[in-house]
Amino acid sequence: TTVDLLKNSDLFLTWLDNMEPFLLVGPEGCGKSMLLRHAFAKRSKMEIATINCNAQTSETDVIKKLQQACAVATTSSGRVYRPKAERLVLYLKDINLPKPDKYDTMQLIAFLQQMI
């Protein structure tokens, strides 16, 4: 690990511990994936569901991934998805790649905003 990785992981681990949603943004090759792997390795009760985005990635892909990583539970308010692990992190790699629709809307981003 590098000094920069350790310095940045302190802030990043606080977000994970507080279950705060976040976006990790940076240029290609700056160490985003390495930072995530380092942080997730320290969290044993956490499952990582990774989606490698491309131009065709849609909200359907997110729902399919959640169906794989979660179990359906019936509650008084209806059926809900619960993570199979204690905590689930949805990791969308290259989220900038999906194309906007004809209205210039990023449907994937709009869907994720509704989830958060």
Side-chain angles (χ1 to χ4, degrees):
T1 59
T2 65
V3 173
D4 288 336
L5 175 67
L6 293 174
K7 181 175 63 174
N8 293 327
S9 68
D10 287 339
L11 176 64
F12 184 71
L13 292 173
T14 302
W15 294 336
L16 281 177
D17 291 340
N18 293 332
M19 295 193 284
E20 296 178 40
F22 60 89
L23 290 174
L24 186 60
V25 180
E28 187 175 328
C30 72
K32 297 178 299 287
S33 293
M34 185 171 68
L35 179 63
L36 289 172
R37 279 195 302 274
H38 174 75
F40 296 151
K42 293 183 166 222
R43 303 295 185 270
S44 62
K45 297 179 181 179
M46 187 179 294
E47 180 183 347
I48 312 306
T50 302
I51 298 175
N52 292 298
C53 297
N54 59 49
Q56 288 78 38
T57 303
S58 70
E59 56 275 11
T60 304
D61 298 303
V62 174
I63 292 169
K64 287 179 184 177
K65 183 59 80 171
L66 290 173
Q67 288 173 331
Q68 293 171 1
C70 296
V72 177
T74 303
T75 67
S76 60
S77 60
R79 294 173 49 178
V80 295
Y81 285 114
R82 296 254 163 88
K84 293 176 184 174
E86 186 174 315
R87 289 188 54 201
L88 176 67
V89 172
L90 186 60
Y91 173 32
L92 290 101
K93 189 164 175 60
D94 297 321
I95 195 171
N96 60 311
L97 295 179
K99 299 265 189 244
D101 62 15
K102 64 182 180 179
Y103 303 106
D104 207 29
T105 302
M106 299 287 291
Q107 291 294 320
L108 176 61
I109 302 298
F111 175 73
L112 293 170
Q113 288 173 327
Q114 290 176 20
M115 284 182 58
I116 296 173

